[in-house]
Amino acid sequence: MMKRQRILPRIAKKVAVMLTAVLLLTLTNGFNWNTQTAEAAGTTPVERYGQLSVKNGKLVDKSGKPVQLKGISSHGVQWFGDLINEDSMKWLRDDWGISLFRVALYTEEDGYISDPSLKNKVKEAIEAAEKLGLYVIIDWHILSDGDPNIHKNEAKAFFDEFATQYGHLPNVIYELANEPNGNNVKWNNQIRPYALEVSQVIRAKDPDNVIIAGTGTWSQDVHDAADNPLPDKNTMYTVHFYAGTHGQYLRDRIDYALNKGVGVFVTEWGTSDASGDGGPFLNEAKVWTDFMASRGISWANWSLADKEETSAALLPDADRKGGWPDSQLSASGKFVKQAILEGSSHNGGDGNNGGDNGGNTPGSDNQGIVLQYRTSDTNAKDNAIRSEFNIKNTGTTAVKLSDLKIRYYYTDESKQAQQFFVDWARLGNEKVKGTIVTLPNSKAKADKYVEISFTDGAGSIQPGEESGDIKSRIHAANWSNFDETNDYSYGANQTAFADWNHATVYQQGKLVWGIEP
C-alpha cells in the first residue's frame, strides 16, 4: 500500500478438491443453513472452480471458463493479525460472499524480515481458507524496501517453504512482490529478473498454481509488464489503485495489457486516496468496480482492519471473530461488502448471476463489446424513464448491430402497459426498436426490462468505433409516475457516459456484457 513439500502430482490437487467437498458436506449435514446458502447447494468457490489457470489473459476455472474472484486483503499481519482467523474468514465468506482472501505479510515495517514467526499467521490463513473453500493470496508485501531484490534471498526461501507445504492445494495463489517502487526500480531491469528467479523456485515445487507479479510505481506500470511478460503461462500481473488518486489513465493501462493478452489481477485497491485516508470516494470507486466487472478482473480490497483510516473496512474495536453488523462497518466496508455481493449469492452463490461466475463473467468472450450508459433525467419519480446508451467495439472484428440486444431492467409501479420511444439515435431512430418484457420471476429491483434491438439496416460497429448515442424513453400507458430509485439498471448520478454493467448486452442470444439482476 502506498501509505504507509513435497512435490505432489497434479492429480493430488483434484483429490484435494474432492476431499474438501466431502468434508464440507459432512460438516454441514444437519446444520441449519439460511435459505440463500441452502440454494447454493453446499458449494464453495474452490469446490465450484477448482484448479485455476490463465488462458488468453483470463483467469479461468477447472473447465476453462473465465471467473472473477472478489474478496478482501488483510492489513499487515504484525498489526491486525488477530482479525485473521477461521471465524472471521467464515463470516466474510457467508455474509459478504467473498471467494478470495489475501494475507499481507510485510517484509519491512516490523514485518517478516525482523520477525520470521509472522509466517505462522500466513499458514493459519491458508489452512482456514482450505477448510472454508476460499482462494488465498500469499502476499510478499514489500513497501519501504522498494526494490524486491533487497530481500530476494529471503523471498526465495519463503516461497520455497510455502510451495513445498501448500503447493498441492488448488486454492493457493502467490503474489511475488506487493508494490515495487522507487525511481530506479523498473520492470525490465529489477522487477522482471526478480520475479523470474522467484517464480522458478515456486515452479520447482508447484507446477501450476497461479503466480502474480507486482509491477513498477507501486504496481501501476502494468503496461511495462505487458510489453515484456514472464514466460510462465500461469502468471498474472497486479495493478493497485486508490479511488481518490487513480483514474482513467490507469484503466487505460489495464486495457492496454488486456488487449495484449496479459492477465491482470487487482490484488489491492481502496476507496480512499493513495495514503489510505481521505474520502471515501465512493462514486470513483463505483466506476472502478464496474470497470473490473466489465473486464472480469479479480480483486481484493484494502483492508480488513479497524484502524482509524478511510480504507479500513471495520470501525474501531470491531469483534475479532467476525459477526459484524453493518453498524460496525465503515462507509468503505459497507461499499465493498455490497460490491462483493452484487451479482453473487452468499457462500459464493450458484454461479448464474455474474460476480464469481464462470460462464457469464462480464467481459468474458465478449469480442470487445462494451456498453456505456447515462441517464438524461435525474428526477427519479416522474412519468418517464430516460436512458441513453452507447455501444463500443474494443475488439478486432466488426460487430453487426442486428446481432445485439440491450436489456435495461426496472420496476413498474403502474402495472399498466408500457410504451417505448426513441428520442434520437445517431444511427437513425427508425433502426432502433424496443420491446417491453415482464420477467417471469420478479427480482428485488426488477420486474420488467426493455429489450432494445436493431434492424438489419443498422449496419456494423467497426473495431475501435461505437454506435453513438441512443436516447430511449419509457412511459406507462396512463402516463403515471415511476419510482426509479430502486431500479436495477438506473444510475441516479450517472449523467456522463461510462461503462455500465447493470444493463446487459446479448450477441445472438449469448450474454456478452453486464450482470443480470
Side-chain angles (χ1 to χ4, degrees):
M1 182 173 182
M2 278 175 283
K3 58 173 179 49
R4 32 141 231 231
Q5 124 172 221
R6 292 177 301 275
I7 305 175
L8 297 178
R10 294 172 185 254
I11 189 70
K13 295 191 176 183
K14 296 180 181 178
V15 172
V17 175
M18 295 172 63
L19 289 176
T20 300
V22 171
L23 175 62
L24 286 165
L25 289 171
T26 302
L27 289 174
T28 58
N29 186 29
F31 187 81
N32 185 24
W33 290 86
N34 63 42
T35 302
Q36 198 165 14
T37 302
E39 288 176 352
T43 62
T44 67
V46 175
E47 184 181 337
R48 287 200 305 282
Y49 306 135
Q51 179 64 56
L52 301 175
S53 59
V54 183
K55 179 181 178 183
N56 298 324
K58 300 280 188 183
L59 185 67
V60 300
D61 67 9
K62 59 190 175 185
S63 301
K65 295 180 179 178
V67 59
Q68 183 195 25
L69 304 180
K70 295 186 289 187
I72 196 163
S73 174
S74 76
H75 206 297
V77 300
Q78 73 273 40
W79 300 311
F80 296 94
D82 56 348
L83 283 166
I84 306 168
N85 55 74
E86 185 177 341
D87 290 331
S88 65
M89 291 168 66
K90 183 178 185 298
W91 179 261
L92 288 164
R93 183 196 69 179
D94 294 346
D95 188 62
W96 289 41
I98 70 165
S99 52
L100 173 74
F101 188 83
R102 177 184 187 242
V103 54
L105 180 68
Y106 277 69
T107 49
E108 298 282 359
E109 293 82 33
D110 298 321
Y112 175 76
I113 300 304
S114 59
D115 184 4
S117 70
L118 290 170
K119 69 183 179 182
N120 294 324
K121 180 56 71 171
V122 181
K123 293 182 178 182
E124 180 183 348
I126 295 170
E127 289 161 15
E130 180 189 5
K131 290 180 182 179
L132 297 168
L134 294 171
Y135 292 94
V136 59
I137 295 177
I138 303 170
D139 166 33
W140 184 254
H141 199 94
I142 73 163
L143 188 60
S144 62
D145 26 349
D147 186 343
N149 293 285
I150 292 174
H151 297 302
K152 180 177 67 176
N153 290 334
E154 292 91 340
K156 290 167 67 175
F158 173 84
F159 282 111
D160 179 75
E161 176 183 348
F162 275 72
T164 299
Q165 187 168 355
Y166 299 109
H168 65 288
L169 300 176
N171 64 319
V172 170
I173 300 170
Y174 307 95
E175 185 173 1
L176 304 183
N178 166 65
E179 288 182 354
N181 63 87
N183 291 333
N184 297 316
V185 181
K186 303 301 181 185
W187 173 254
N188 286 330
N189 295 331
Q190 287 79 30
I191 304 169
R192 189 181 188 278
Y194 161 87
L196 182 61
E197 198 168 334
V198 176
S199 63
Q200 287 171 343
V201 170
I202 294 171
R203 286 294 178 244
K205 304 294 174 65
D206 181 349
D208 47 14
N209 272 326
V210 172
I211 291 173
I212 301 174
T215 58
T217 315
W218 294 281
S219 284
Q220 293 166 55
D221 294 344
V222 71
H223 56 302
D224 291 339
D227 287 337
N228 188 17
L230 292 160
D232 183 83
K233 64 183 179 64
N234 281 331
T235 296
M236 304 185 82
Y237 303 86
T238 193
V239 170
H240 291 180
F241 71 83
Y242 284 81
T245 301
H246 306 110
Q248 186 60 45
Y249 83 93
L250 192 51
R251 291 189 287 273
D252 290 342
R253 288 184 178 183
I254 292 173
D255 277 340
Y256 176 85
L258 295 176
N259 288 335
K260 298 199 78 167
V262 166
V264 176
F265 200 127
V266 174
T267 58
E268 181 180 314
W269 69 272
T271 62
S272 64
D273 62 29
S275 72
D277 220 342
F281 301 93
L282 300 185
N283 288 336
E284 293 83 356
K286 184 66 165 62
V287 173
W288 270 107
T289 55
D290 287 347
F291 172 83
M292 290 187 289
S294 71
R295 271 68 170 167
I297 296 172
S298 297
W299 54 258
N301 171 259
W302 185 272
S303 66
L304 184 66
D306 60 348
K307 185 179 181 180
E308 291 191 12
E309 65 179 10
T310 303
S311 59
L314 306 175
L315 295 177
D317 301 319
D319 194 293
R320 313 329 268 176
K321 299 285 189 179
W324 311 295
D326 282 358
S327 60
Q328 289 186 12
L329 304 183
S330 67
S332 179
K334 292 174 184 176
F335 175 89
V336 172
K337 176 181 175 180
Q338 183 59 35
I340 294 170
L341 287 172
E342 280 185 358
S344 62
S345 300
H346 286 354
N347 209 23
D350 58 10
N352 291 326
N353 293 317
D356 300 333
N357 152 347
N360 290 336
T361 301
S364 66
D365 192 29
N366 70 354
Q367 299 184 26
I369 296 167
V370 175
L371 180 67
Q372 296 189 318
Y373 157 85
R374 69 183 178 195
T375 181
S376 53
D377 182 2
T378 56
N379 183 351
K381 296 190 176 183
D382 61 11
N383 65 7
I385 297 173
R386 295 180 175 89
S387 305
E388 299 183 39
F389 304 99
N390 179 43
I391 305 171
K392 298 176 67 176
N393 180 4
T394 63
T396 58
T397 59
V399 175
K400 288 179 61 177
L401 277 164
S402 60
D403 287 343
L404 303 182
K405 289 181 168 51
I406 300 169
R407 288 183 184 177
Y408 179 95
Y409 302 88
Y410 65 100
T411 55
D412 173 24
E413 289 73 27
S414 72
K415 306 307 176 187
Q416 299 285 318
Q418 310 287 292
Q419 299 172 320
F420 174 82
F421 302 89
V422 178
D423 287 337
W424 187 80
R426 190 179 77 180
L427 54 90
N429 293 22
E430 72 284 358
K431 297 173 183 176
V432 183
K433 308 296 179 184
T435 303
I436 308 296
V437 179
T438 300
L439 283 166
N441 298 304
S442 295
K443 308 292 183 179
K445 295 185 177 183
D447 52 32
K448 276 189 167 66
Y449 62 83
V450 58
E451 184 170 81
I452 298 173
S453 58
F454 305 92
T455 66
D456 290 337
S460 299
I461 309 176
Q462 298 301 315
E465 297 186 357
E466 54 193 47
S467 67
D469 196 355
I470 302 164
K471 296 183 178 182
S472 71
R473 179 165 44 95
I474 301 170
H475 291 282
N478 63 356
W479 295 80
S480 58
N481 289 342
F482 292 101
D483 182 356
E484 297 178 74
T485 56
N486 197 38
D487 287 2
Y488 179 78
S489 294
Y490 179 63
N493 299 316
Q494 196 65 38
T495 55
F497 273 129
D499 299 355
W500 194 250
N501 67 4
H502 277 213
T504 54
V505 180
Y506 301 80
Q507 185 175 32
Q508 295 182 339
K510 178 183 177 182
L511 177 64
V512 293
W513 176 271
I515 301 172
E516 296 172 334

